[in-house]
Each structure stands twice: as C-alpha cells, then as structure tokens.
C-alpha cells in the first residue's frame, strides 16, 4: 500500500548548482562546451581578419574543428 509520500526527490536546485553537479558526474561535457566555444570564437576572429578569403571555406573548417572537439570529448568521457 502507498503511504502517500512522494517517491521522487523534490528539492530546490538553482541552475548554478545543477551545472556543478552535472559537471562532477560527467566532467568531459563542460570541457567539450568550452572547447567548442573557444574554437568558434577563434574561427570568427580569424574570419574577420582574414581579408579577401571566401567566407564559406573558413566556416566549414571551424565547424569541423568544433564538431571534432566535441565528439572527442564525448568519446573520452565514455571511456
């Protein structure tokens, strides 16, 4: 018989503490996020100061580098 108690824990957790808890459970996720953001910022800076290069080619390289970093971080996290 049920006693009327709630099975799931209902506690108040703000976004900061939730992010810290998740980072402790899977430390490669924040590493992947920071790496992705770093590569994108670097690529956009290089694109801005690139001069007369075609815009699509550097964006493709930045996209592939950022995606590769995230997949690598996820793979290391699984291992």
């Amino acid at each position: 018989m049920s006693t009327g108690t709630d099975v799931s824990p209902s506690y108040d957790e703000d976004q900061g503490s939730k992010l810290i808890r998740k980072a402790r459970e899977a430390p490669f996720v924040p590493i992947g996020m920071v790496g992705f953001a770093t590569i994108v910022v670097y690529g956009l800076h290089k694109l801005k100061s690139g001069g007369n290069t075609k815009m699509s080619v550097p964006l493709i390289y930045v996209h592939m580098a950022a995606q590769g970093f995230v997949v690598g971080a996820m793979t290391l996290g699984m291992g």
Side-chain angles (χ1 to χ4, degrees), residues 3-10:
T3 59
T5 60
D6 192 12
V7 176
S8 65
S10 60

Side-chain angles (χ1 to χ4, degrees), residues 11-37:
Y11 53 90
D12 294 327
E13 185 178 29
D14 62 346
Q15 293 295 327
S17 61
K18 184 176 181 180
L19 181 64
I20 291 170
R21 181 177 54 85
K22 292 286 188 178
R24 286 184 185 145
E25 291 174 3
F28 286 100
V29 172
I31 293 170
M33 290 168 45
V34 169
F36 178 82

Side-chain angles (χ1 to χ4, degrees), residues 16-56:
S17 61
K18 184 176 181 180
L19 181 64
I20 291 170
R21 181 177 54 85
K22 292 286 188 178
R24 286 184 185 145
E25 291 174 3
F28 286 100
V29 172
I31 293 170
M33 290 168 45
V34 169
F36 178 82
T38 303
I39 291 171
V40 168
V41 168
Y42 171 75
L44 290 174
H45 173 70
K46 191 161 176 103
L47 178 67
K48 183 179 176 185
S49 64
N52 289 336
T53 60
K54 258 184 120 172
M55 184 181 251
S56 62

